[in-house]
Structures are given as C-alpha cells and as structure tokens.
Amino acid sequence: MSTEQLLPYQTEILQNLHDPLTSELLILARGLGLRKIISTLLKIYDSPQNLVLLVNTLPEEDGSFGEELGIMGCRKPGLRIVGYEMGRKERQNLYKQGGLISVTSRILVVDLLQSDIPVDLITGLVVLHAEKVTALSLEAFIVRLFREGNQSGFVKAFTDEPEHITSGMYPLKSILKELQLRKVHIYPRFHEEIKKSLERRRADVVELYQPLTEPMSEIHQAIVQCMSATLSELKRSNTSLELEDFNVENAYFKSFDSIVRRLLDPVWHKVGPKTKQLVSDLGTLRNLLTYLISYDCLAFHAYLETIMASNSTTASGAQKQHQSPWLFMDAANTIFQSAKRRCYLSTAPGKAKSGPTVIDLVDDEDVWDALNEAEGLPSAASTSKPPEPPKKPKRKKWIPEGMDPVLEELPKWNLLADVLQEIEEEMIRLEGTTSFATPGTNTVLVMCSSQRTCELLSEFVSSMDTSAERGSKGRKMMERRLRLYLWWKGKLSSNQKEGRGIFQLPARTNDTQQNDSNVNEGISDALKKKDAVTKDRLANRRRLRGGAPATAASGRSQIPSLTTAQEGSMSSKEREKLGIMVGEGEMRSEADNIADFLATQKAEGFIADDEVPILTPFGGGTQGLGIDVDEEIAMSLDTIDFDSEYDANFGLLQPQQTVIVRPYSDDSDDRLLAEIRPRFIVMYEPNQDFIRRIECYRSSNPGLAVRVYFMVYQFSCEEHKYLAGIRREKDAFERLIRERGSMLIPIMEKTERAGSSSENIIKTISTRIAGGGKQLNTDPSQVIVDMREFRSTLPSLLHAAKVLIVPATLTVGDYILTPDICVERKSIPDLLASFSSGRLYTQCELMSVHYKQPILLIEFEEHKSFSLQTVGELKNYAKPTGKYPPKKKPNEPAPETISVTSIQSKLVLLTLSFPRLRIIWSSSPYATADIFKDLKMQRPEPDPSRAIALGAEEDPDAGAGINAAAEELLQALPGITSKNVKYVMSKVGSVSELCELDKAAVQKILGIEPGTTCFEFLHRGEQST
C-alpha cells in the first residue's frame, strides 16, 4: 500500500479525527489500515511546538510506527521512544524538546506524579488498544492525571478489536467514561464508505476447497465428539453457573479459555480437580484440532503420544491421580489409531515368513519352457523374457522390521504444488504481454498462520519431487522426518527406563544435532541433581521390593499389562475404572522395540541410508565404520543438502522467480505488501484480516492485476473458525452501534487535583476540643508509594479516592500511610514466593525496626475466591458425635495437627516472630483503598524524605533519582539483600562496575562469605585463564 495515497474512507476518518480541539474514540475493523491512519495523524501533529504522547503500545509496535513515520518523512527527530534504560533527567530534557514521544504507561504515571513532565504543555495523548482500558488500568490513571492539569489537550483513542468490547452491562460507555470521552466513531467493514472504496477494484480470487483425507476426517469428528462430551461434563459438574455460551463453536477460539476461567473464578476454590482437568482438556482438544491440519502426520502422532505419556505417570514415576476423562472414550481410540495409520502400519516381524510357500515363476526358466512347449509356443531361450513386474521401492535399512511406512502427506501440500505450477505457467504466458512499466512483481507470496507452518512449507517446496505422482511429492522430506521420529521414540523409551521425563519431538529436523544432549547437558545443575535423585529413589524402591521391573512407571505395577486386542475389547468405563488409556501398552511396546532396534544397529556400527551417504568425521569410508549412531542420525537429518543441490536448484535467481513464505502478522503486513508488490498471493490458511489488507492493497494500486488463491479445508475446524470469526465481529459491531444509539453520554466533571478538594481540608475530628469540634488541616491526604508498586492497580484506585500519591524508591515497605504505619502489600502468588525465598521475613524485620505499626496486607483479586485453600484441602475440626471415639490408625497425625508447610502455619510463625506485626486481609484493591482511608483518619501525614532515608542510613539521598531496575537486579544477586543494597550502591556506580571487581574487592564490600557467593555467581561459567 502506498503511504502517499490514502483511500477515500481513510481520508474521511482523518478529517473527523485531525482536529486537536476534539477528543474521540475510533473503532475500526481489523485489516483496514489502522496503523497508517494513526501514523498520518501523528505526522500532522509532528512539530517542536507540540508534545504528543503515544501510550499503551507494544514494543514491536514502537518500531513499526517509527519506520512508518520515517517513510512519511518524519525523521528529524521523528518518533522518540522512552524506555526503562533512560534516566530521569534525560526524560525531562526530552519532554521539553516537544515532538512525538512513545512512552510506557508505568513510566508516564511516575513522571506525571513527580511533575517531571510539563502537563500544561502536553498537546494530547494518543491511546492505543482502547479495548483494554478499565477502571483499574494505568491508562485510565494517566488520563485522570492529565485532565487534572490540562483541560484543553486532546485524547484520541483507537482500537481494532470490537469483539473484546463486550464484557459488562455497557462496555462502550465504561471505556468512554474511563478515558473521559464523549464521541465515538465506528467503522465496520460493511460501512457504506468502506464498501464504496474497496469494491471499485477487486482482486481475482480463486477459492480452493480441499477435502480432508479419510483418516483426518475421522480424527476431526472424534475430537469434536470429545469436546462435546467434555463440555457436557463441565456443565453437569457446575449446574449453578450460567454456561449457555459453552458450545463447540465458541471453543474453537483461544478467548474461550478466559471466558470459562472468568465464570469459574468466584468458585474456583470450591471446584474439584475434575473440573480443573476438564477446563485444561478443552485447551488441549482445541490444539489438537489446529495441529491436525497444520502439523505433518508424524509430528501430530508424536504430540498425541506425548499427551498419553504425560497423563499416565507423573515426573516422579507414580501414577497420575486425575487423568483426562476424554482419553478413556472410544473416540480417543479412533484418534490414536487413525493418527498412527497415517504414519505407518505395524505388522508382526515373522508374519510374512509364516504364510504358505509361493513359487516365483518369473525367474524360473525351466517352468516357462514347459509351459511354452505345452501350448505349442517357442521356448523361452529363443524369445525374450516376459516383461518383469514393477519393482517395489527398496526398503530402507534404518526402518525397523515390522513397520510399513505410510507417511500420509497433508492434502494442501499437493494443492500448493499445483498452484505454484499454475502460477509458473501463468507467468510464462504473461511474460510477452506485460511491459516494463506494468506495476507489480512476479514474486509469489505464500501466507500461513504460524512460523512452524512456514518452516514446514519452505522445506516441502524446496525438497518436493515435481515428477512424483500426486500424494508423494514430499516423500523425501517425510522419510527424513520418519527417521527423526524413530530417533525420538528410542530416546523416549530410554528416558522412561532411566527415570527421566518426556520431551517433545523437535519441530525441525536439523535441530537434532543438540537434541541428544538436551536431555542431559542442556539443563541446569539443579535439574540434573533432581533427575539423579529420582533415579536413585527408583533404584532403591526396586531393591526394597526385591527385583521389580526396572521401569520409570513402577508406580503403575498394580495395573495389568494388556495386549492391544484386550485393550480394544474393553469398554470406556472399564478402561477408566482400571486407569488404562487406549493404546498405552502398544505405545510403550513400540518404543521399546524401536529402542532395541536402534541398539542393534548401533552394535553393528552403522545405520545405512540408501540415498544420503554417511561420512566419517575424517572423510574416510562411508559405511561399516564404528561411529556414534545418534550423532550420525543427527548429521544425516539436515533439511536440505545445500552442498550438492545449491548450484542446481538455488544459485542466483531472478527476483521474479522467488517464493516467499510468511506468517500472518499485524498491520506490518501492509508494509510487506507495499514493499514486495506481488501479483500472485497464496493464502494457505484463511485469514479475515489479510483478505481486507489485500483489498486495500489492490485499491491503492490502480493498474495492478492481483490474483489470490484462497485455500481452506472443507468441513473442518479451519472453515468453521473462519466463518464463526466473521459472525462474531459482525455481531460485536452491531451491539456497539445499538449501544451508541441508546447510550447516555456521560457529563464529565472538572477534575480537581487529588487532596485539594474542600472536603479534605476539614478532615481531623479532635475530641479534645469542646463539643467535638473540627480542626483545620491544610496538608493534603497523601500516601507514599514505592516505585515498584505501580505495576499494581492500587495506586490508581487511591488516586481516584482523592488521595495524593507520592512516588518514591523505598527500602522499607511498599506504602507509608502515616509516620508510624508502614504497609507491605502481598498478592497471593507473591506471598507464596516470599515465604519460599525468605524475603518476607527480612521485610517484616525491617518494618518492625523502623515503624511502630508494621502491617502485612494480603490482597486477593476481585471476582476471585477469597480463600487461601480449596475446599478439598480444608480439614474437619468438628468433634465426633458418636458414642465411642473413632479408632486412630497407627502413625496417623492428630486431626488438630496443621502441616508445617501450609501457608497458615507459616503465617502463625511469622506473627510469633514479630508480635507487633498486624495482618490485614483484603478481598480486592477496592477494599484496600477503603482500608487505607480508614487507617489514615485522625493521623498525621507521612514525610517523604524521612521514608526514603529509612533503611539507607549510609546515604540519606540514596533513594532519590536512582535507577529502580538496576536496584531490583542487584537485590536478585546472591549475597545482596535489602539491608545492604544501599551500601553496595554507594560503593559502585553501576552493575557493570560490580561485575568488573575482583574477588577481594567484592568481599570487602559484602563480607567474606556473601562476597564469595556473589562473585562466584557473577563469574560462573567463565573459563579460567
């Protein structure tokens, strides 16, 4: 798309938005050039006299906007990006220069609170991803701070995700209220102006509906059946919840997981492990639907085997308690058997030899002479021999006996080969008719959904045999992947025998060079130690039991080993009762057989490949030498033999003959189309956004003939998901249009600075004044907040409650409410991590030393369970009502006993260690804001300079203007704690300076033992010279 030319609907949108005196929200359908509209708007405002801030962008979006503005001519200075590495003074100077600046929300909040940025000089804010704005978001906090000091600046918000503006009673009104906007523009694809702009020039679209193969269709139907059964079981287990939207069509999308979790969060502590397993199974089954049509048959089968292995045993080798229910269904048997049938067929090794003896008449000359003589024909000696029957392909020596490879290729691969052949013929036909001035290039652009699919298609296109028959063009690639699969299956068996965990099949065949060592050498020392301990525990268990089988799954010894026929004859209820998954025994036996086969080949010294020569490291002989089999397999699994095929197939190609395979992305695909300018585009997988990008690309380039090949699997989840996505977006736009038509526009009050309202002036009631009089207090109500706490939503809620927020880098506590009250806030995950690391003990110790009333605030999330334990973990402390007390089993603890490792026992020990420590439980950040206001009543305000100096006695100004990220990095190093971090920062100027010190200098700063620990950690892995 040419950046100089705007389409008519884009021009109309900019005419409605460019006025700096208005603030509005734009909701645009995806794929219609939102980034180009925003970049053009930023170009209009680009001036040293303006200060325009770009807020709520992703890191990759900052670079894209900078590149787009640079192409438009905004280069000096262009878009400047403010990150965590930029210091406070540097940011202050940058703000004073004006222009376009992209800044993260957390940094901007702190700069606005500290008055590092002149609020009255800000021309306006440009907020992206407006669908994410809520009352708890930092963007709403930024708009409030901005409106406190600037009523004339503009706020322009943008979004292209209408489906996400659906939660709540009036979602559009809520976003407008938080951003303090009153105007909204909605532009769906069916907008009249957009239809008129895009339908003037249409691309030539060829729709190709590819049916699934019979095994793939069976697997697809079985997965849908498993999803339906899982959803029905989930509804049956939670009858009290509103689960009308629980259907298979909605389960196709990733957002379905968040919807289910949001509904279950309030009762998550009450639901049992079965419900949690069902929620996890829905995501697994959805992945299976996607992988069925995107993975090759071997990778899909390996993924299924990984699921089966992970559901049978835990990492320690014991039987898993809560297994996925769908694995015991008859449909799961169909999935596993059909997936295996796509890869290979298993036959008994000696089955072919046990049949009746067949006389081969082809090479028996005497038999042919006798037949010819009986029929009166000349003998075979005087005539030529009859034509020989076609020879079967020679069996590879590295294929185990009893395995007959099928290697079914994905149907779209052959369709893609036919499309590329047709494009090549079309290029030859048009070569004489097109002139040099004809726009566009002959570069073929193939678009797909993921990077893995791109690599798979690139390997197929580069290695396919164009002369082979349909369905076997990628046979060479699939044989390489079969060899990789055999290597992985053998490793899986050896890992289970040695007590190690499972690992997934590598995505690319050339990754196997390090896969042999990734099980042992690629992991940390802690994991190696854990594996060794697990292996020793299993060995000791075997010795104690007196020679049990040496398998990793020794915990499953009570389950009888069944044959494949016995497993297949059992019903799903019988299998679930015994805990036997379909095909589990067959999978383990196959893995053992393949491992034994590879071991025999290793004993022989080689695994020969009939096509790829096996070379020794020294260039000696090719076969029969003793080399490492794993290394040899890895070296022979390169995706492309560049040395032998580069000159013939690659070399220096003309740009018109190239094929580019790319995954779908965001608005950067518009720049991709504008730079490549292809005439032929292959959409390997359907994507609604990219179709619109092609429409914009075609409409922006008059005279350019574009042909699009649209490929989709017929009657598959791919087609259903594409059509369901179109319906969801259309319904979302219709809801938004209806809400805008009936919405009461909020009237915005003039925002006053927090702490300056008249109700806060008279706030202290003193009973010492006669009659309970009121005492004037001109100090605003304020709370000192640690810099690191701006990741949470509590500072925003405190500011909304008319409390002045003072950001500072605190050594002791997170929130300072009064000179005597210090609060350490902990969310539930942070509380568990702090107990495990011992950090909470140190924090409580510091608070008890410096403050009279230390408080530990345990804050739960809103709309989630207000409980530390699930119902299943709670014990029954009621007294027995029977006549006789229950019999106590030997070695059974008393019912009053609380586990030492439980969170409750740790909290009790913490309060015993610090008697003055108070614990406050808060159900949500809203409740925390109310608690803070109650704690501050009738108490004096804190002093920021004193709060910063506490804990940093060596340098009282150490907390002012420091790099918070560098301080966090220092505290993460062993030997450095919150007690000595200020002292370390006073001795070294930066983290790099600390790394350059020798061992004696580090020990001089930290002490002998902590200094040694820190020095060894910093220089771990360095080779001694």
Side-chain angles (χ1 to χ4, degrees):
M1 189 193 309
S2 177
T3 54
E4 292 80 8
Q5 182 183 2
L6 292 172
L7 294 174
Y9 77 88
Q10 296 173 341
T11 305
E12 178 184 321
I13 293 174
L14 285 172
Q15 289 175 352
N16 295 331
L17 294 177
H18 81 284
D19 189 359
L21 300 178
T22 61
S23 299
E24 49 244 321
L25 168 66
L26 172 65
I27 304 176
L28 184 67
R30 287 185 303 276
L32 296 179
L34 180 62
R35 182 174 297 174
K36 183 179 179 181
I37 294 173
I38 298 175
S39 300
T40 308
L41 187 67
L42 293 176
K43 179 185 177 183
I44 296 174
Y45 295 142
D46 184 26
S47 173
Q49 287 75 30
N50 297 330
L51 177 57
V52 179
L53 302 179
L54 189 62
V55 183
N56 201 22
T57 59
L58 300 176
E60 56 270 15
E61 289 179 336
D62 288 332
S64 300
F65 276 112
E67 181 183 357
E68 192 79 19
L69 288 169
I71 295 175
M72 291 181 176
C74 302
R75 299 185 180 90
K76 295 182 180 180
L79 179 67
R80 275 80 49 82
I81 300 174
V82 175
Y84 293 103
E85 67 279 355
M86 187 176 293
R88 180 177 179 181
K89 293 183 179 179
E90 196 175 350
R91 294 200 304 269
Q92 290 176 350
N93 297 330
L94 185 63
Y95 294 143
K96 294 177 182 178
Q97 296 174 7
L100 306 176
I101 299 176
S102 175
V103 58
T104 62
S105 299
R106 184 182 169 195
I107 293 178
L108 184 56
V109 165
V110 175
D111 289 344
L112 288 172
L113 290 172
Q114 293 181 332
S115 301
D116 289 339
I117 180 172
V119 181
D120 55 334
L121 298 181
I122 297 178
T123 306
L125 302 176
V126 177
V127 182
L128 271 64
H129 303 290
E131 76 279 354
K132 299 180 181 179
V133 175
T134 62
L136 301 178
S137 61
L138 288 177
E139 289 72 34
F141 193 8
I142 290 172
V143 172
R144 285 201 306 271
L145 293 172
F146 173 63
R147 287 306 184 195
E148 285 180 357
N150 191 330
Q151 294 290 334
S152 60
F154 65 82
V155 176
K156 298 188 184 295
F158 300 88
T159 179
D160 58 355
E161 299 283 346
E163 300 91 344
H164 293 108
I165 312 178
T166 55
S167 60
M169 186 67 69
Y170 299 103
L172 181 59
K173 179 182 176 181
S174 302
I175 293 177
L176 293 177
K177 179 183 176 182
E178 298 304 329
L179 293 176
Q180 301 188 19
L181 302 175
R182 302 189 65 190
K183 196 181 216 180
V184 58
H185 304 280
I186 301 178
Y187 282 85
R189 173 61 180 85
F190 53 84
H191 192 279
E192 187 64 29
E193 188 63 32
I194 297 179
K195 288 175 61 179
K196 189 186 303 180
S197 301
L198 297 182
E199 292 180 358
R200 293 184 303 168
R201 307 184 186 95
R202 293 188 177 184
D204 180 16
V205 180
V206 180
E207 297 183 359
L208 302 172
Y209 290 91
Q210 174 66 46
L212 297 173
T213 63
E214 182 179 353
M216 293 177 67
S217 181
E218 293 176 358
I219 295 174
H220 180 271
Q221 295 174 6
I223 294 175
V224 172
Q225 183 179 350
C226 291
M227 291 182 72
S228 301
T230 304
L231 287 170
S232 301
E233 185 65 26
L234 192 60
K235 292 180 181 180
R236 189 163 48 250
S237 303
N238 301 273
T239 56
S240 59
L241 300 178
E242 298 180 0
L243 307 177
E244 289 83 3
D245 294 335
F246 277 33
N247 52 58
V248 177
E249 180 176 315
N250 291 332
Y252 286 151
F253 300 92
K254 291 183 179 180
S255 59
F256 183 75
D257 293 346
S258 60
I259 295 174
V260 174
R261 188 59 194 265
R262 187 169 64 246
L263 290 173
L264 294 176
D265 271 340
V267 294
W268 191 252
H269 64 295
K270 296 181 181 179
V271 300
K274 182 179 179 181
T275 299
K276 297 178 181 179
Q277 184 65 49
L278 291 174
V279 174
S280 175
D281 290 343
L282 287 176
T284 302
L285 291 170
R286 185 184 59 249
N287 290 336
L288 284 179
L289 280 176
T290 305
Y291 297 160
L292 173 64
I293 56 179
S294 59
Y295 281 16
D296 61 88
C297 59
L298 292 168
F300 181 75
H301 184 47
Y303 181 73
L304 286 175
E305 291 183 325
T306 306
I307 293 176
M308 185 184 298
S310 61
N311 273 274
S312 59
T313 57
T314 60
S316 61
Q319 181 183 0
K320 190 173 180 180
Q321 295 296 325
H322 305 288
Q323 298 175 339
S324 301
W326 69 271
L327 288 172
F328 301 97
M329 297 177 56
D330 294 332
N333 188 24
T334 304
I335 295 174
F336 287 103
Q337 295 300 326
S338 299
K340 178 184 175 183
R341 195 167 69 247
R342 295 177 62 205
C343 302
Y344 55 86
L345 299 177
S346 298
T347 57
K351 189 174 181 179
K353 298 179 181 180
S354 60
T357 306
V358 179
I359 301 176
D360 189 5
L361 301 179
V362 175
D363 297 329
D364 197 336
E365 296 182 0
D366 296 336
V367 175
W368 280 108
D369 290 340
L371 290 175
N372 292 335
E373 184 178 357
E375 296 179 3
L377 298 176
S379 63
S382 59
T383 60
S384 60
K385 290 185 179 181
E388 296 183 358
K391 293 183 179 180
K392 294 183 179 181
K394 188 177 180 181
R395 182 181 180 84
K396 308 292 183 182
K397 296 182 180 179
W398 47 264
I399 297 178
E401 188 178 358
M403 176 181 288
D404 187 11
V406 177
L407 303 180
E408 179 185 84
E409 299 179 7
L410 290 177
K412 275 190 181 180
W413 291 357
N414 297 278
L415 188 61
L416 177 62
D418 297 340
V419 168
L420 293 178
Q421 180 67 26
E422 180 181 334
I423 291 175
E424 185 177 357
E425 295 174 356
E426 186 70 14
M427 288 180 184
I428 296 174
R429 188 181 67 83
L430 297 176
E431 188 173 358
T433 59
T434 56
S435 62
F436 181 77
T438 303
T441 63
N442 285 336
T443 301
V444 181
L445 180 61
V446 181
M447 300 297 295
C448 50
S449 60
S450 64
Q451 185 63 36
R452 175 163 183 155
T453 307
C454 288
E455 296 171 357
L456 187 63
L457 292 182
S458 299
E459 184 178 356
F460 170 75
V461 172
S462 59
S463 62
M464 69 175 178
D465 185 5
T466 55
S467 60
E469 60 181 8
R470 186 177 181 84
S472 59
K473 295 182 182 295
R475 185 76 179 185
K476 183 178 179 181
M477 179 188 76
M478 292 304 299
E479 286 180 349
R480 286 198 299 265
R481 291 183 173 267
L482 176 60
R483 199 168 186 187
L484 171 65
Y485 172 80
L486 294 177
W487 171 85
W488 172 79
K489 200 76 177 283
K491 282 291 179 183
L492 198 64
S493 176
S494 61
N495 284 0
Q496 291 177 349
K497 291 180 180 179
E498 296 176 6
R500 292 200 294 251
I502 61 175
F503 66 102
Q504 293 183 350
L505 180 71
R508 295 180 297 175
T509 51
N510 56 357
D511 288 343
T512 55
Q513 296 184 15
Q514 63 263 20
N515 273 332
D516 185 31
S517 60
N518 68 350
V519 183
N520 247 342
E521 301 175 1
I523 59 178
S524 62
D525 294 337
L527 291 178
K528 288 181 180 179
K529 185 177 180 181
K530 180 181 177 182
D531 288 341
V533 172
T534 303
K535 188 176 179 181
D536 292 341
R537 187 185 300 121
L538 292 173
N540 293 333
R541 188 183 306 165
R542 289 193 293 269
R543 285 194 294 269
L544 290 174
R545 291 178 180 178
T551 59
S554 58
R556 295 176 58 87
S557 58
Q558 71 275 15
I559 298 177
S561 59
L562 303 177
T563 63
T564 306
Q566 291 174 330
E567 287 184 4
S569 62
M570 298 174 64
S571 64
S572 59
K573 292 184 178 180
E574 293 175 346
R575 284 195 296 264
E576 187 172 2
K577 184 178 180 180
L578 293 176
I580 302 173
M581 291 179 291
V582 289
E584 181 181 357
E586 183 181 359
M587 182 195 75
R588 295 181 183 276
S589 62
E590 280 185 358
D592 295 339
N593 292 337
I594 292 175
D596 295 341
F597 173 76
L598 293 178
T600 58
Q601 295 294 320
K602 189 172 184 177
E604 293 178 7
F606 67 93
I607 297 181
D609 193 338
D610 300 329
E611 296 180 3
V612 182
I614 301 172
L615 302 178
T616 63
F618 304 101
T622 58
Q623 293 184 359
L625 298 177
I627 58 178
D628 184 45
V629 175
D630 292 332
E631 180 182 358
E632 181 269 320
I633 291 178
M635 294 300 294
S636 66
L637 285 174
D638 291 334
T639 54
I640 303 171
D641 189 3
F642 285 101
D643 295 333
S644 61
E645 299 182 3
Y646 184 83
D647 294 332
N649 296 336
F650 293 89
L652 297 176
L653 297 180
Q654 300 273 336
Q656 292 82 2
Q657 298 176 1
T658 57
V659 177
I660 298 178
V661 185
R662 290 291 300 271
Y664 294 118
S665 182
D666 52 5
D667 286 346
S668 58
D669 286 343
D670 294 331
R671 174 54 42 197
L672 174 70
L673 291 172
E675 291 179 353
I676 299 177
R677 304 189 72 193
R679 294 194 187 101
F680 301 95
I681 302 174
V682 180
M683 295 183 63
Y684 184 78
E685 292 163 320
N687 186 278
Q688 175 186 349
D689 306 344
F690 196 77
I691 292 175
R692 293 169 181 168
R693 301 187 200 283
I694 295 175
E695 291 179 331
C696 296
Y697 165 68
R698 175 67 182 89
S699 301
S700 301
N701 293 273
L704 176 62
V706 180
R707 176 177 293 183
V708 181
Y709 293 90
F710 181 81
M711 303 168 61
V712 61
Y713 282 115
Q714 196 173 15
F715 306 119
S716 67
C717 72
E718 186 178 69
E719 183 181 17
H720 299 329
K721 185 177 179 180
Y722 171 69
L723 298 177
I726 295 177
R727 286 195 300 269
R728 289 181 66 193
E729 187 193 67
K730 180 176 177 292
D731 294 341
F733 270 116
E734 289 177 350
R735 285 196 300 268
L736 292 174
I737 293 172
R738 284 196 300 268
E739 182 181 351
R740 184 182 63 174
S742 60
M743 180 177 59
L744 297 176
I745 300 177
I747 298 177
M748 304 300 173
E749 299 178 356
K750 184 177 179 180
T751 308
E752 297 181 353
R753 187 173 296 275
S756 62
S757 58
S758 58
E759 63 181 12
N760 290 324
I761 295 178
I762 305 175
K763 63 172 185 175
T764 305
I765 301 176
S766 177
T767 57
R768 296 187 178 184
I769 302 177
K774 297 182 179 180
Q775 179 181 350
L776 290 177
N777 190 341
T778 57
D779 294 334
S781 179
Q782 64 181 14
V783 173
I784 303 173
V785 183
D786 186 39
M787 291 282 194
R788 293 171 286 270
E789 278 298 305
F790 284 95
R791 300 169 182 165
S792 65
T793 59
L794 184 55
S796 176
L797 294 177
L798 290 173
H799 180 269
K802 307 300 181 183
V803 177
L804 180 62
I805 304 298
V806 181
T809 303
L810 301 177
T811 305
V812 182
D814 293 331
Y815 296 87
I816 309 299
L817 305 184
T818 68
D820 297 331
I821 299 179
C822 175
V823 179
E824 180 71 29
R825 188 191 72 90
K826 294 291 181 184
S827 61
I828 300 302
D830 191 20
L831 179 67
L832 300 176
S834 300
F835 270 125
S836 301
S837 63
R839 188 173 71 249
L840 183 58
Y841 185 91
T842 305
Q843 292 169 340
C844 293
E845 185 180 17
L846 288 174
M847 287 194 299
S848 301
V849 169
H850 295 288
Y851 290 94
K852 295 181 180 179
Q853 298 182 19
I855 295 176
L856 173 63
L857 173 69
I858 301 177
E859 185 179 86
F860 292 79
E861 296 185 34
E862 191 183 14
H863 304 307
K864 288 193 175 182
S865 59
F866 189 32
S867 173
L868 279 178
Q869 285 182 317
T870 62
V871 174
E873 295 172 347
L874 297 178
K875 294 183 178 180
N876 185 13
Y877 295 100
K879 294 183 178 180
T881 58
K883 182 177 180 181
Y884 301 100
K887 293 183 179 180
K888 184 179 178 182
K889 297 179 181 180
N891 301 327
E892 182 183 4
E896 297 84 7
T897 304
I898 301 177
S899 174
V900 180
T901 59
S902 66
I903 189 69
Q904 286 89 343
S905 62
K906 293 180 180 179
L907 286 173
V908 171
L909 294 175
L910 189 67
T911 54
L912 291 176
S913 302
F914 304 100
R916 289 192 292 113
L917 179 68
R918 298 295 180 262
I919 299 178
I920 294 180
W921 305 81
S922 175
S923 59
S924 68
Y926 290 99
T928 304
D930 295 336
I931 292 172
F932 280 8
K933 292 186 69 175
D934 294 340
L935 290 174
K936 287 181 62 63
M937 290 182 63
Q938 303 182 19
R939 288 181 173 87
E941 301 299 331
D943 182 11
S945 58
R946 178 179 177 273
I948 294 174
L950 287 179
E953 289 81 2
E954 295 83 3
D955 185 6
D957 298 328
I962 65 170
N963 191 342
E967 183 182 1
E968 289 185 23
L969 177 60
L970 277 180
Q971 292 189 9
L973 298 177
I976 299 180
T977 63
S978 56
K979 290 184 177 181
N980 59 7
V981 65
K982 298 297 181 184
Y983 180 73
V984 175
M985 295 173 67
S986 64
K987 295 297 182 182
V988 295
S990 62
V991 179
S992 60
E993 183 178 343
L994 176 65
C995 297
E996 294 173 357
L997 296 178
D998 56 4
K999 187 174 183 179
V1002 177
Q1003 289 177 340
K1004 184 177 180 181
I1005 297 175
L1006 297 176
I1008 301 298
E1009 186 176 350
T1012 303
T1013 305
C1014 183
F1015 181 82
E1016 292 178 351
F1017 177 80
L1018 292 175
H1019 299 277
R1020 180 182 178 184
E1022 295 183 0
Q1023 297 180 355
S1024 58
T1025 56

